[in-house]
Structure formats: structure tokens, C-alpha cells
Amino acid sequence: MYRSALLEAVAFPEFYPATQQSRPIPFRFANFYDLFFASLRPGLGMKSVLVVQLKRIGDLILTTPALVALRQAMPQAKITLLIDRYSEEVAPALPMVDEILTYDRERSLPIWLKLLFREYDYCLDFTGNDRSALVAFFSKAADRVSFSFVARRRHSAWIYTDLVSSSVRDLHTIDHYLDLSRFVGFSGPAPEPTIRLPEDVVRSVPEILREIGLSMPFFVVHPGTARREKYWPAERWAELIRYLCDRLRLACLFTGGSDRSEIEHIRAIRKELGQTDFIFNLAGQIPFLVTAAMIRQSRFFLGVDTAAAHVASVFGRPELVLFGPTNPFHWHPRHPLGRVLRAGSESSYQPSDPKESGHPMSDLSTRTVIDAMEGFLDRWGEVPAGTGSCRAEL
């Protein structure tokens, strides 16, 4: 299945991989590139793999099933993961790789120098943009693999030896990323998203909760994200939170990033809530992995389409994720306790159409979310109702 690029260029000049998941590379210059670097590449006993994922934290978390699959397919390989600096907070929680490099576009020279003096057997590009194509070029890998959509950019498609046919439009993002791991030999069932919280992060949670005075069970609300069009109106969040605090007798813990718009959005929600003893806020005050640890300890998670929702999926927490402009088909939680709602839909909504048009978040009513929560609470058996142990702790 895997012929060296040197063999392809010299012994089989018209050969192209013909697997069901790959398509031919029509640009012959790639073989001259391979021929040159193959003459410099020493023989390697243990396979070395460079994985390129330069998207944000949410995409990185949804890439972890593909990383687990890659490790299962190549247990003895040395796997190096190149990520963007905006995702580096997650790096300590990815035990399935041997090494993590961070790309900082403002100070990128160290990465290019490392790539220049290294050799890889495989380069798997999960990003598929011009920058990641340049990384694949400098990797000097014999097998440089990405998705078939990069063929639309003829100026960079020649860099790859194989392009995997995988429809980002018709697949959940996890399955889309898994197709690259299947190309290099993985054949098992799809792994789940995985992160492993460092012990010092786990130990920090009780102390932080004591510092803010939160001593009762809580649910997490993560209302912010990098895209303002995903924000649900502050007054509707406040109405929902007020209802849940009264209904379940649980505390509400806000989490979020340090971006100014997120902080202002949460401030607006808290202003709508007024004075209450059941509302706590850690948004912008703790690192991402500590936020993940808080979500793991929560009774359930409420939020919009963002990385924190994927964290709730990792730990199998009951969760309700609100969508508007983005399609839940590609991003929805897939564990049994995960549910989504989309603006313009009813409380019984299920993601099923990859071509479904989006709606502004203002099209999602508070009543629809509350109705959905009532149905979900019956299924989330561990979440206490109004007369449970949580009420006794107040």
C-alpha cells in the first residue's frame, strides 16, 4: 500500500496510489521533490510521524480520536504533533503523542529550523491550508497526506503524495479527521475524544472552589466563544439560569475565556440576574485545563458551540449545547447524555441534515430551551430534582 516516493519516481514513473480513500496527485513536480530529499533521508528504524493541526482548541479536541487511532495503528512510532499557539494550553493533556511543537506565526523561525533539520516518514495534515502545506513540504516526509479538498489550491496540492477523499460537509468532524488515520492503517471503531488532565490541575479544583466560596453542587454555564454571532441574548441566559437554580437548587458557575467580549457578555448576564447567592464566576480567571476540570466536576453543562462543549463530551457530562449559525450535524456531542438545540427549531430537535441552514441565535426562545431541559432532566438521572440532596445542602 505504501511505496516510497523514490520508488514511485524512478521505478514506477506512472504509478499513483489507488486505494479507495486516496486520489492521484496530478502534479509530477512532487516526485522530483521526493527524489531529492529521499537521497538525503537516512534509513529510520522506528517510524516517525508529524501530525499538523493548526486550528483552534475545539478542532484539536475533536482530532484526539484520530490521534488515538494513529497510536493504535502505529504503536511503535514516534508521533510529533504541531499545534497553533492558541491551542497550546491543551498540550499537557494529550498523552497519545510523544512530542508537541507549537507554531507561533509571530515567532515562527524556530519551528521552520526544527523542520529543516528533521526527517519524518509520514506527515498527516489535518488543517489543509497554505501554512500547513508549507509545513508538510519542510517535513520531507516520504508520505505526505491531507484531504482531497486541498486539490482546489493547485499552487500547494502538489506538495502531497496522497489526498484522502473525506467530505467535511457530509461527516461529523470526528469522522472526517479519522479518515486520515484510517488511511495509514487504522481499522477499528471510532475512539472517543480524549484528554487527560494533569494531576496538579485536578488537585487545584477544590482549593479554587473554596476560595470563591462554592461548597455546593453546581452546573457550568459557558456562554461565550470567539465568534460573537454564537452569543445567545443575555436576558435569555439569565431567565434560564434563574429557572434552573430555583428548579434544581444547584449553584451556577460561569466559565469562559479572557477575551473582552466574553467577559462583557457574562457581565451582562449577571446584571440581568441581579443579586443572588447561587451565582459564581471564574470566566477569564483560570487556565483552560482548570476550566475542563471544573466541567468534569459539574452536574451538567450548558453552553454554546465552543471548545468547552467538547470538553463536556470528553468527560461524558450531561450537556445541552445551543447552536445558531453553525450546523450541529458536524459538531454535536455524540455521547448518550449530550443534547443540542438549534435556533429556529423546536425542543425535540435532533441534528440530522448536513446541509441545514443556520439561524441567528435570537431565533432561539427561552421557552424552547426550558422545555428541552425538562425533557433532558428526566434522562439525566443523576441530576437532582428540587427535593434532592442538593436542597439539603443549601
Side-chain angles (χ1 to χ4, degrees):
M1 180 177 177
Y2 307 111
R3 294 175 181 267
S4 72
L6 179 61
L7 196 62
E8 291 177 26
V10 179
F12 300 93
E14 297 305 318
F15 172 81
Y16 290 103
T19 67
Q20 291 182 347
Q21 288 188 307
S22 64
R23 59 176 300 280
I25 309 299
F27 306 99
R28 301 305 296 162
F29 184 75
N31 283 340
F32 291 101
Y33 164 84
D34 292 335
L35 177 61
F36 173 75
F37 279 115
S39 66
L40 302 179
R41 187 183 296 111
L44 294 173
M46 181 177 67
K47 296 294 184 183
S48 58
V49 184
L50 176 64
V51 175
V52 185
Q53 179 51 287
L54 297 178
K55 295 183 180 180
R56 296 282 183 131
I57 291 178
D59 281 272
L60 179 56
I61 293 174
L62 294 186
T63 308
T64 59
L67 296 174
V68 172
L70 181 62
R71 172 58 70 200
Q72 293 177 12
M74 308 176 72
Q76 302 304 317
K78 178 180 179 181
I79 300 175
T80 299
L81 174 63
L82 177 63
I83 60 176
D84 190 86
R85 70 180 180 89
Y86 292 108
S87 300
E88 64 181 342
E89 284 189 86
V90 185
L94 303 176
M96 70 290 290
V97 299
D98 300 290
E99 179 186 29
I100 295 180
L101 304 178
T102 301
Y103 180 87
D104 184 342
R105 64 188 63 190
E106 297 179 0
R107 294 183 293 274
S108 62
L109 182 59
I111 287 296
W112 298 119
L113 290 175
K114 283 183 179 180
L115 294 174
L116 185 63
F117 292 102
R118 292 189 181 191
E119 297 88 22
Y120 296 94
D121 295 292
Y122 297 92
C123 177
L124 303 184
D125 179 8
F126 287 84
T127 311
N129 61 20
D130 290 343
R131 184 174 291 105
S132 63
L134 192 59
V135 170
F137 178 87
F138 274 91
S139 75
K140 304 179 291 296
D143 293 275
R144 301 177 302 281
V145 187
S146 191
F147 296 108
S148 57
F149 67 76
V150 305
R152 294 195 293 266
R153 295 192 299 274
R154 296 178 66 87
H155 64 281
S156 61
W158 63 268
I159 289 173
Y160 303 96
T161 62
D162 295 280
L163 297 180
V164 174
S165 295
S166 178
S167 174
V168 65
R169 184 184 181 94
D170 298 323
L171 295 173
H172 192 282
T173 305
I174 289 175
D175 296 322
H176 174 59
Y177 288 151
L178 272 169
D179 279 342
L180 284 195
S181 296
R182 297 192 191 283
F183 180 80
V184 297
F186 176 73
S187 59
E192 295 300 321
T194 301
I195 60 174
R196 182 185 298 169
L197 297 178
E199 287 299 321
D200 60 328
V201 169
V202 175
R203 288 195 300 267
S204 71
V205 171
E207 181 178 351
I208 294 173
L209 293 178
R210 281 195 300 272
E211 288 179 358
I212 65 174
L214 178 49
S215 59
M216 60 185 289
F218 61 90
F219 63 95
V220 163
V221 174
H222 196 103
T225 179
R227 295 171 54 182
R228 291 186 63 90
E229 64 268 26
K230 295 182 182 181
Y231 286 11
W232 199 38
E235 66 275 9
R236 300 186 191 179
W237 272 120
E239 186 178 351
L240 174 64
I241 292 167
R242 192 179 298 113
Y243 164 79
L244 289 173
C245 287
D246 291 342
R247 162 79 161 78
L248 300 174
R249 310 303 292 174
L250 295 172
C252 169
L253 175 64
F254 283 104
T255 60
S258 57
D259 183 81
R260 172 183 252 177
S261 64
E262 286 194 56
I263 299 299
E264 291 177 350
H265 185 46
I266 293 173
R267 185 179 294 122
I269 298 170
R270 297 188 68 187
K271 182 178 180 180
E272 291 286 340
L273 282 166
Q275 294 295 324
T276 175
D277 296 330
F278 301 149
I279 307 300
F280 299 83
N281 181 26
L282 287 173
Q285 303 175 48
I286 54 177
F288 182 81
L289 287 184
V290 178
T291 295
M294 295 293 176
I295 292 172
R296 187 177 74 163
Q297 188 163 323
S298 69
R299 290 298 177 92
F300 61 89
F301 172 90
L302 294 174
V304 294
D305 172 27
T306 190
H310 303 316
V311 168
S313 293
V314 166
F315 298 118
R317 302 312 302 140
E319 61 177 318
L320 177 60
V321 187
L322 309 184
F323 284 79
T326 51
N327 193 336
F329 180 87
H330 304 100
W331 307 98
H332 69 273
R334 306 206 295 188
H335 63 100
L337 298 179
R339 297 292 185 271
V340 300
L341 278 181
R342 193 173 199 189
S345 69
E346 300 298 325
S347 59
S348 58
Y349 174 82
Q350 294 289 335
S352 59
D353 183 2
K355 300 179 181 179
E356 184 179 50
S357 299
H359 291 265
M361 292 294 284
S362 57
D363 286 354
L364 182 60
S365 71
T366 311
R367 185 70 258 169
T368 298
V369 180
I370 289 176
D371 288 345
M373 281 299 306
E374 283 298 321
F376 299 158
L377 290 173
D378 293 337
R379 303 176 194 176
W380 298 344
E382 67 177 75
V383 180
T387 57
S389 59
C390 290
R391 179 181 293 276
E393 292 180 40
L394 291 177

